[in-house]
Amino acid sequence: MVRTLLVRGMIAGVVAAVLAFAFAWLFGEPALDGGIAYEDALAAAAGETGGEELVSRGVQSTVGLLVALLIYGIVVGGVLALVYAGVQGRLLRLAPRATAGLLALIGYVVVVLVPFLKYPSNPPASSADDTIGLRSGTFVFMLLLSVVAAVVAVAVGRRLVERFGTWNGVLAGAAVYVVLVGVVAALLPVVSETPADFPAVVLYNFRVATLGIHAVLWTAVGLLFGLFVTRGLRSSERPSAGAGVG
C-alpha cells in the first residue's frame, strides 16, 4: 500500500514539475534576467570582464531548470505520499482527495511560505557573495524549525480536538504554530543587504515568481495525488462489488 502511494506521489511530482517549469520559464526567467543584467552593468562600470561560463545561460534556463524541478517535484510528491500514508483516515476524517489537498497546502505554508517571509529569495547581484553561507544557514535553520513547529502544533491540535471539538482544536493548533514560528523568526538574525539602486521591480517580480513556482508545484502535486488515490480506491472497489453481485 505504501509503495503504491509512493509511486503515485512521485508520478504526481513529475507532472507537477513540468507545470512548474512552464510557469518558471514564463515568469521566473525574465525576472532572473533582470538581476543578471544589473550584475553585468555593475561589472561593466567597474571595468571587469566576465569569465567563461561553465554552463551556458541557455542550458541553465531550460535543461538545468527542468532537471532541478523534476528532482524537487519527485521529493515533494514522495514525502507527501508518505505523510498521507501515515495520516489517511485520521486527519479530520476527510476524504482522500481533500486530505491530499490539505496536506499540500500545509506543506506549502510550512516548507515554503513561512521560511520565505523571514528570508525571501533574491535574484543575482541583490546580495553580497560573502554572506551566502550565513543566508543559506539561517534559511535552512528557519525551515527546519518551521517543520518542527508544525509537528508540535499538529500533536497539540489533535489532543485538543478530542477535548474541545474539531474547530477549537484546529484553531488552537494553528495558533501554536504561529506563535512558535513567530518567536523563532524574531530571534533569528535579519539579513538585509540589497543595494539601494537595485531595481525594485526586478526584486518584486523575482520573489513573486519564486512563490508562484512553488505554489504551482505544490498545488499540482496535491490535486494530482488526490486524483490518483481516489481513482485507485475506485478501481480496487469494483472487483469486490462485482463479486458481491454474483
Side-chain angles (χ1 to χ4, degrees), residues 28-51:
E29 287 302 314
L32 185 62
D33 288 338
I36 294 175
Y38 176 83
E39 186 177 38
D40 292 341
L42 290 180
E48 300 175 356
T49 56

Side-chain angles (χ1 to χ4, degrees), residues 214-225:
H214 286 283
V216 169
L217 190 141
W218 281 86
T219 300
V221 168
L223 294 177
L224 290 171
F225 179 71

